[in-house]
């Protein structure tokens, strides 16, 4: 279905493009944001956590963008082609219509962005502007014309180690510190353009067949999707979310980034602006669980291998996040030259939360690895040794306060969610020994598990109010408490959890189904300003209701949340129900994985099934690196094979 895309307010040409106006393109290594008006306003090359060459989303067009549009269009409609990240945008102007197809091709072993604009009726005016600024908009490169290996005219921009090449049917001309072009196309005419990143010391690479690579890329995305078994409830939203999760998974290293952007604000004009282009162990583990529940087991092996490399070393040196390649250096700094989205400063790269103690992280990791075991992934000596050492280290430090799942920059606390996840880590370790015969000090872990449980029930539960609280001694909740229902700490229908769900809704629900993660006036997070409804927490509400057997209640929450996605199915971190605007980084893995898992649990609740933590997972077998789902779970026996796309499909496997 095509839905008219929102456009920036014509009355204020300086207003920022709404966050929900952006679509995303990606090649499994990085991602681009493109507005409905055809401006690529964010792109980091060659990787997610590389410096941006187009950074207009955090500043002005002068900080880098690539515009290809029909400037006098009165209607803009867009969609992703089938189940892919090939974006099709239709512009209707007073004199004709035009369609732009664009994507970042898969499987080339390089970084490209292809854009093909075709006039489909009448005639259309076309505007093309190319403004390259490396180093997050701070560096004007040396831009010059060269000949490629075919002898064709090519524009090349070079600064330091980076080179960007623009090629196409017609190239823009210099205009100050940018390149511009304006022309008309008649029905049946088209212009194809390709942007390519290479190291500056390498020659200009060969040209790509633009239309063929767009078709092959769409087919590769469809092939990946066919390798799993998405459920039938709210299928369109689930499928797009699964594709987003795969897009945010680095195809070379297996690392899973939390989002494609940095510093898109949680509150306009505020300081709650963070760099999410890194691999949080927590978010990645939850992503893996969501993919496993929908039958995508191939990612389990690749992420486990990434985890082994990233955390190798002393268990006490475990970080909560890493770079995409497993690097540990994420020092936070501010980019003073960028004014920020809608004046929201500072603009940050890196993230100082990397040094925080967060006890919940290991619980999420252990749950994900347990889910992989239950799904049939063979445990290796190395992977189990890693888990043993991490759990043994937790024995000595779970009693310490931490910064919690929300990474507060105020004083550490004994956060109840963190303690419950520590319980979960011990519980998973005990189950690994008892159920799978792995070697480990189960008696020690069992005793620690019991100690955590006793402490949480004694100090983290308010019997008078009938609810768990945010941290020991608190008189309020936070939405992370909803996640207790996913762990097995108590049955999801236990009155103490039902009371917690009710208390969370009473304190944090600001519109039907929409929850704050906590009240900023009650939580010392070390920051000024406010927040908006946190979408992942809102989906956790639906998940908790479904786990408790309230399919009707879960359905109502999903009915309120699912329409909040933008016209191409993307979700940011937060949503402001007053203005109807998305806030925070986009697309946000946590929002999309929470959607997938909530719908999965809702579907089980509709069927009257309330399995334990991992009992609903399909059992998968492996053959020649492919995933095969048994016929008895109602999915195809293997992935569909699309002729002519082997290279691109391999890029996603």
């Amino acid at each position: 279905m095509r839905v008219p895309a929102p456009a920036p307010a014509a009355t204020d040409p300086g207003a920022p493009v709404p966050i929900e106006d952006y679509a995303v393109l990606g090649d499994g290594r990085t991602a681009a944001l493109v507005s409905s008006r055809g401006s690529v306003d964010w792109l980091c090359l060659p990787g997610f956590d590389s410096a941006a060459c187009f950074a207009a989303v955090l500043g002005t067009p002068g900080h880098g963008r690539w515009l290809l549009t029909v400037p006098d269009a009165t209607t803009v409609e867009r969609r992703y082609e089938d189940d892919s990240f090939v974006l099709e945008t239709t512009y209707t102007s007073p004199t004709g219509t035009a369609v732009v197809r664009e994507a970042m091709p898969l499987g080339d072993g390089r970084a490209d962005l292809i854009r093909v604009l075709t006039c489909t009726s009448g005639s259309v005016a076309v505007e093309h502007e190319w403004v390259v600024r490396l180093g997050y908009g701070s560096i004007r490169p040396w831009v010059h014309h060269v000949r490629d290996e075919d002898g064709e005219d090519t524009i090349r921009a070079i600064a330091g180690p980076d080179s960007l090449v623009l090629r196409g049917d017609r190239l823009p001309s210099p205009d100050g510190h940018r390149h511009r072009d304006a022309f008309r196309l008649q029905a049946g005419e088209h212009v194809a353009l390709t942007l390519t990143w290479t190291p500056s010391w390498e020659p200009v690479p060969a040209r790509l067949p633009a239309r063929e690579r767009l078709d092959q890329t769409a087919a590769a995305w469809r092939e990946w999707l066919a390798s799993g078994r998405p459920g039938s409830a709210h299928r369109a939203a689930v499928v797009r979310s699964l594709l987003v999760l795969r897009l945010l998974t680095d195809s070379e290293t297996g690392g899973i980034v939390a989002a494609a952007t940095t510093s898109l604000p949680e509150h306009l004009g505020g300081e709650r602006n963070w760099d999410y282009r890194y691999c949080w162990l927590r978010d990645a583990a939850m992503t893996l669980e969501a993919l496993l529940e929908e039958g995508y087991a191939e990612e389990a092996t690749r992420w486990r291998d990434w985890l082994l490399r990233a955390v190798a070393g002393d268990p006490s040196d475990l970080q909560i996040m890493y770079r995409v390649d497993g690097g540990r250096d994420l020092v936070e700094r501010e980019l003073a030259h960028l004014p920020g989205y809608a004046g929201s400063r500072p603009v940050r790269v890196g993230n100082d939360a990397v040094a925080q103690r967060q006890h919940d992280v290991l619980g999420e990791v252990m749950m994900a690895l347990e889910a992989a075991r239950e799904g049939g992934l063979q445990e290796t000596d190395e992977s189990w040794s890693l888990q043993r050492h991490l759990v043994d280290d937790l024995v000595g430090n779970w009693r310490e306060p931490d910064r919690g799942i929300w990474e507060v920059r105020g004083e550490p606390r004994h956060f109840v969610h963190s303690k419950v996840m520590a319980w979960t880590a011990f519980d998973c370790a005990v189950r690994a020994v008892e159920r799978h015969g792995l070697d480990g000090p189960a008696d020690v872990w069992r005793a620690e598990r019991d100690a955590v449980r006793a402490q949480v029930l004694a100090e983290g539960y308010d019997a008078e109010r009938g609810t768990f609280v945010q941290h020991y001694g608190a008189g309020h909740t936070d939405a992370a408490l909803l996640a207790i229902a996913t762990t097995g700490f108590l049955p999801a229908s236990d009155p103490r959890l039902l009371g917690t769900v009710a208390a969370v809704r009473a304190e944090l629900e600001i519109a039907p189904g929409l929850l704050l993660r906590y009240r900023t006036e009650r939580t010392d997070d070390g920051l000024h300003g406010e927040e908006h409804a946190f979408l992942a927490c809102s989906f956790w509400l639906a998940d908790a209701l479904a786990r408790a057997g309230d399919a009707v209640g879960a359905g109502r929450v999903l009915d309120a949340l699912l329409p909040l996605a933008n016209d191409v199915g993307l979700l940011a971190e937060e949503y402001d129900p007053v203005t109807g605007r998305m806030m925070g980084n986009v697309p946000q893995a946590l929002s999309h994985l929470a959607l997938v898992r909530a719908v999965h649990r809702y579907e089980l609740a509709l069927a009257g099934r309330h399995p334990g933590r991992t009992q609903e997972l399909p059992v998968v077998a492996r053959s020649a690196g492919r995933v095969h789902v048994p016929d008895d779970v109602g999915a195809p026996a293997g992935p569909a094979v699309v002729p002519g796309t082997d290279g691109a499909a391999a890029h996603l496997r």
Side-chain angles (χ1 to χ4, degrees), residues 176-396:
H177 295 290
R178 62 197 65 206
H179 283 67
R180 287 177 170 166
D181 193 10
F183 54 95
R184 293 196 72 86
L185 290 179
Q186 304 297 320
E189 295 179 336
H190 76 275
V191 59
L193 298 159
T194 302
L195 174 77
T196 304
W197 177 91
T198 62
S200 59
W201 55 87
E202 291 187 358
V204 174
R207 289 187 173 227
L208 295 178
R211 291 182 170 182
E212 179 182 344
R213 291 301 294 121
L214 289 174
D215 293 340
Q216 291 173 346
T217 295
W221 282 110
R222 291 194 298 270
E223 178 181 351
W224 178 80
L225 185 69
S227 69
R229 52 138 201 50
S232 58
H234 301 294
R235 189 177 189 279
V238 169
V239 163
R240 181 52 51 189
S241 292
L242 290 168
L243 289 165
V244 167
L245 296 178
R246 185 61 190 85
L247 179 141
L248 295 175
T249 302
D250 186 271
S251 58
E252 183 173 347
T253 69
I256 303 172
V257 299
T261 56
T262 180
S263 299
L264 292 182
E266 297 173 14
H267 185 79
L268 290 181
E271 65 175 336
R272 297 170 182 267
N273 319 313
W274 312 109
D275 193 349
Y276 280 4
R277 300 169 301 143
Y278 306 114
C279 303
W280 270 255
L281 297 187
R282 173 196 306 110
D283 297 42
M286 291 180 179
T287 296
L288 183 60
E289 289 181 89
L291 291 169
L292 285 169
E293 287 173 349
E294 300 300 323
Y296 296 92
E298 185 72 18
E299 283 65 33
T301 299
R302 301 185 69 253
W303 181 75
R304 187 181 68 182
D305 292 345
W306 175 88
L307 179 68
L308 288 170
R309 296 190 303 270
V311 307
D314 193 318
S316 63
D317 295 331
L318 178 72
Q319 295 184 176
I320 63 148
M321 71 180 89
Y322 296 84
R323 301 188 74 91
V324 176
D325 62 3
R328 294 169 176 255
D329 183 7
L330 283 77
V331 175
E332 187 176 301
R333 60 190 177 92
E334 299 178 2
L335 302 181
H337 68 278
L338 285 173
Y341 181 90
S344 304
R345 304 182 71 176
V347 172
R348 295 180 172 97
V349 295
N351 200 308
D352 279 350
V354 66
Q356 289 186 355
R357 181 193 297 273
Q358 298 175 18
H359 290 315
D360 70 294
V361 170
L362 183 57
E364 297 291 355
V365 169
M366 293 296 290
M367 284 179 68
L369 293 175
E370 179 182 68
R373 276 195 302 273
E374 296 290 336
L377 179 64
Q378 187 67 38
E379 196 75 73
T380 68
D381 290 342
E382 292 82 4
S383 63
W384 177 241
S385 176
L386 168 68
Q387 293 168 69
R388 278 196 55 172
H389 282 85
L390 292 175
V391 175
D392 285 341
D393 185 68
L394 184 65
V395 169

Side-chain angles (χ1 to χ4, degrees), residues 3-35:
V3 180
T11 57
D12 185 3
V17 175
I19 291 172
E20 63 272 13
D21 186 59
Y22 284 106
V24 66
L25 309 174
D27 62 1
R29 299 300 314 283
T30 190
L33 293 189
V34 55
S35 74

Side-chain angles (χ1 to χ4, degrees), residues 355-584:
Q356 289 186 355
R357 181 193 297 273
Q358 298 175 18
H359 290 315
D360 70 294
V361 170
L362 183 57
E364 297 291 355
V365 169
M366 293 296 290
M367 284 179 68
L369 293 175
E370 179 182 68
R373 276 195 302 273
E374 296 290 336
L377 179 64
Q378 187 67 38
E379 196 75 73
T380 68
D381 290 342
E382 292 82 4
S383 63
W384 177 241
S385 176
L386 168 68
Q387 293 168 69
R388 278 196 55 172
H389 282 85
L390 292 175
V391 175
D392 285 341
D393 185 68
L394 184 65
V395 169
N397 63 47
W398 70 262
R399 292 172 175 82
E400 299 297 321
D402 74 332
R403 304 283 181 170
I405 185 174
W406 307 130
E407 302 181 347
V408 299
R409 299 195 174 193
E411 289 300 312
R413 301 281 189 180
H414 291 282
F415 287 101
V416 171
H417 172 263
S418 293
K419 301 299 187 188
V420 171
M421 294 312 300
W423 176 93
T424 304
F426 292 126
D427 187 55
C428 289
V430 170
R431 287 159 61 95
V433 173
E434 295 178 343
R435 184 164 177 168
H436 293 273
L438 297 172
D439 181 54
D443 290 343
V444 173
W445 296 337
R446 193 179 296 108
E448 295 296 321
R449 180 186 65 182
D450 294 345
V452 178
R453 178 184 174 85
Q455 188 185 91
V456 168
L457 293 178
E459 301 188 47
Y461 181 73
D462 185 336
E464 184 175 340
R465 295 182 59 212
T467 180
F468 287 97
V469 292
Q470 184 185 51
H471 56 78
Y472 294 172
H476 57 275
T477 65
D478 82 40
L481 298 170
L482 297 172
I484 297 175
T486 70
T487 65
F489 183 83
L490 290 172
S493 58
D494 187 285
R496 289 166 289 188
L497 289 188
L498 296 179
T500 300
V501 171
V504 166
R505 299 192 77 168
E507 292 182 22
L508 303 177
E509 191 169 17
I510 60 174
L514 283 168
L515 301 181
L516 300 171
R517 53 181 177 172
Y518 53 80
R519 292 283 179 181
T520 54
E521 66 272 19
R522 296 180 181 176
T523 299
D524 177 20
D525 61 11
L527 299 165
H528 298 97
E530 300 176 348
E531 295 188 344
H532 298 290
F534 202 82
L535 289 173
C537 295
S538 304
F539 284 111
W540 290 351
L541 173 60
D543 187 300
L545 292 170
R547 289 173 187 268
D550 184 3
V552 172
R556 287 176 181 152
V557 172
L558 290 174
D559 288 343
L561 298 180
L562 294 176
L564 303 183
N566 74 355
D567 58 307
V568 289
L570 303 183
L571 294 169
E573 182 179 20
E574 298 184 1
Y575 183 82
D576 179 1
V578 175
T579 63
R581 295 280 304 272
M582 288 190 189
M583 293 288 131

Side-chain angles (χ1 to χ4, degrees), residues 82-273:
D82 300 322
D83 297 324
S84 78
F85 279 107
V86 176
L87 182 67
E88 179 185 283
T89 305
T90 301
Y91 297 97
T92 302
S93 76
T95 59
T97 60
V99 175
V100 176
R101 295 180 72 213
E102 55 194 327
M104 300 189 74
L106 301 170
D108 294 320
R110 52 192 254 184
D112 300 281
L113 199 166
I114 296 174
R115 315 185 79 181
V116 179
L117 187 153
T118 303
C119 179
T120 55
S121 69
S123 69
V124 294
V126 178
E127 181 181 356
H128 183 200
E129 182 180 72
W130 193 63
V131 186
V132 175
R133 295 291 184 269
L134 300 171
Y136 299 103
S138 66
I139 301 171
R140 291 177 180 170
W142 173 42
V143 183
H144 59 294
H145 283 257
V146 299
R147 295 285 175 179
D148 66 14
E149 63 178 20
D150 298 320
E152 299 290 338
D153 188 24
T154 299
I155 301 177
R156 192 173 198 187
I158 291 178
D162 298 299
S163 166
L164 287 170
V165 171
L166 180 66
R167 287 178 285 201
D169 298 325
R170 60 179 291 158
L171 296 176
S173 301
D175 182 3
H177 295 290
R178 62 197 65 206
H179 283 67
R180 287 177 170 166
D181 193 10
F183 54 95
R184 293 196 72 86
L185 290 179
Q186 304 297 320
E189 295 179 336
H190 76 275
V191 59
L193 298 159
T194 302
L195 174 77
T196 304
W197 177 91
T198 62
S200 59
W201 55 87
E202 291 187 358
V204 174
R207 289 187 173 227
L208 295 178
R211 291 182 170 182
E212 179 182 344
R213 291 301 294 121
L214 289 174
D215 293 340
Q216 291 173 346
T217 295
W221 282 110
R222 291 194 298 270
E223 178 181 351
W224 178 80
L225 185 69
S227 69
R229 52 138 201 50
S232 58
H234 301 294
R235 189 177 189 279
V238 169
V239 163
R240 181 52 51 189
S241 292
L242 290 168
L243 289 165
V244 167
L245 296 178
R246 185 61 190 85
L247 179 141
L248 295 175
T249 302
D250 186 271
S251 58
E252 183 173 347
T253 69
I256 303 172
V257 299
T261 56
T262 180
S263 299
L264 292 182
E266 297 173 14
H267 185 79
L268 290 181
E271 65 175 336
R272 297 170 182 267
N273 319 313

